[in-house]
Amino acid sequence: MSAVPSAHPVAGAAAPVVTTSRDGGVLTLTLARPDARNSLSEAMMAALTSALAAIAADAGVRAVVLAAEGPVYSAGHDLKEIQAHRGDADRGRAYFEDVLKRCASLMTAIVRLPQPVIAAVEGMATAAGCQLVASCDLAVAGEKARFCTPGVNIGLFCHTPMVALSRNLVRKHAMEMLLLGEWVEAEEARRMGLVNRVVPAGEALASAQALARRIAEKSQVPVKLGKAAFYTQMEMGLDDAYAYASRVMAENMLARDADEGISAVLAKRAPSWEDC
């Protein structure tokens, strides 16, 4: 891993709120505002969105890990920023709509990123922080990690986190989290489908990076085609999903790496990928 992490600084910030480090084809983004519980402030969302845009254009990045500093993965929206606009002429409506639109853009950028994104969660992930985890393609949690959508407890239903949760969890599990606003421990989150794996506390980052390296070793043709197709077909009816998936798979079959991979199986040898 690079000894000197690069960063995506934000104008006016004393230090970068998101840092990056790279190990070959694996890039790790780290939320670096532990003093503010890594809340998704305007600056944090802007930094993450900017970093993801750069990653999308970098063919050398083959997988992404999303981690965080400190005991809280992310506490969700910055409530101080939200409350600061209560005195606006429209009682904050325009600001609330804008900040939620920015958050939605960030979450969809993760889903639409060509490269897989793996959340490495230690500590608490609440509200939009839980949404951030649910938006990633995979998630690894330390055994002491906890998850919550507590909005209902403060008079504010977690409507936007609901979008990501309802696309990851069984319906009744999602509704239970949203209606009760109670903590879900790491192992229960795994059972519910919010995270893939639970590892000893403190090992989530290393475990997520190990998964990322395994993905990075594969041909990027099926990985990128497959990720995009997975999310596209989920929004379709059964017949349309099969028709769409068949078209994409036929395209994949024409790729050089598909020919190489099948030939390698038949010849009982290791394949040699060229990502084309």
Side-chain angles (χ1 to χ4, degrees):
M1 183 174 291
S2 173
V4 183
S6 59
H8 292 265
V10 176
V17 295
V18 175
T19 61
T20 70
S21 61
R22 187 162 175 173
D23 180 10
V26 176
L27 188 145
T28 300
L29 291 173
T30 303
L31 310 186
R33 200 182 172 215
D35 56 324
R37 298 162 64 88
N38 292 315
S39 60
L40 297 181
S41 62
E42 294 180 63
M44 180 72 82
M45 290 191 291
L48 283 171
T49 301
S50 175
L52 290 170
I55 290 167
D58 187 344
V61 177
R62 303 167 75 87
V64 178
V65 173
L66 185 56
E69 294 180 7
V72 178
Y73 185 77
S74 176
H77 286 291
D78 190 319
L79 297 183
K80 291 182 179 179
E81 286 185 348
I82 288 174
Q83 288 300 93
H85 289 269
R86 291 287 182 185
D88 293 355
D90 62 353
R91 296 189 301 142
R93 177 184 291 274
Y95 176 78
F96 301 156
E97 290 180 351
D98 178 66
V99 79
L100 291 170
K101 182 178 179 180
R102 295 188 198 189
C103 184
S105 294
L106 168 60
M107 303 302 169
T108 55
I110 293 172
V111 172
R112 292 170 182 162
L113 194 74
Q115 302 92 333
V117 182
I118 306 172
V121 188
E122 301 282 0
M124 299 180 291
T126 67
C130 187
Q131 178 185 4
L132 188 65
V133 176
S135 297
C136 292
D137 304 298
L138 302 175
V140 177
E143 62 187 355
K144 294 183 179 179
R146 297 195 297 167
F147 305 84
C148 186
T149 49
V152 70
N153 298 326
I154 60 170
L156 181 64
F157 197 84
C158 286
H159 294 92
T160 48
M162 171 182 69
V163 175
L165 281 179
S166 65
R167 283 162 170 74
N168 280 258
L169 278 59
V170 173
R171 180 179 299 179
K172 284 183 170 57
H173 285 161
M175 285 296 288
E176 182 177 347
M177 287 191 70
L178 293 161
L179 289 172
L180 296 182
E182 296 177 349
W183 288 108
V184 173
E185 304 297 326
E187 189 56 45
E188 179 68 1
R190 185 198 63 77
R191 187 184 71 83
M192 294 167 70
L194 182 57
V195 301
N196 298 84
R197 301 182 181 188
V198 177
V199 298
E203 295 184 14
L205 177 57
S207 180
Q209 290 173 330
L211 275 178
R213 286 193 293 272
R214 288 167 59 186
I215 293 171
E217 292 172 353
K218 304 181 186 301
S219 167
Q220 294 306 287
V221 174
V223 170
K224 292 180 177 181
L225 282 175
K227 173 176 174 175
F230 178 84
Y231 292 110
T232 299
Q233 63 83 27
M234 282 186 66
E235 305 301 323
M236 297 178 172
L238 185 63
D239 291 340
D240 288 342
Y242 268 116
Y244 166 76
S246 296
R247 291 194 301 271
V248 176
M249 192 164 185
E251 178 183 348
N252 194 167
M253 286 176 172
L254 294 172
R256 177 267 173 199
D257 277 3
D259 182 19
E260 165 63 11
I262 294 171
S263 296
V265 169
L266 296 175
K268 297 182 180 180
R269 60 172 174 80
S272 176
W273 305 128
E274 294 183 7
D275 296 333
C276 61

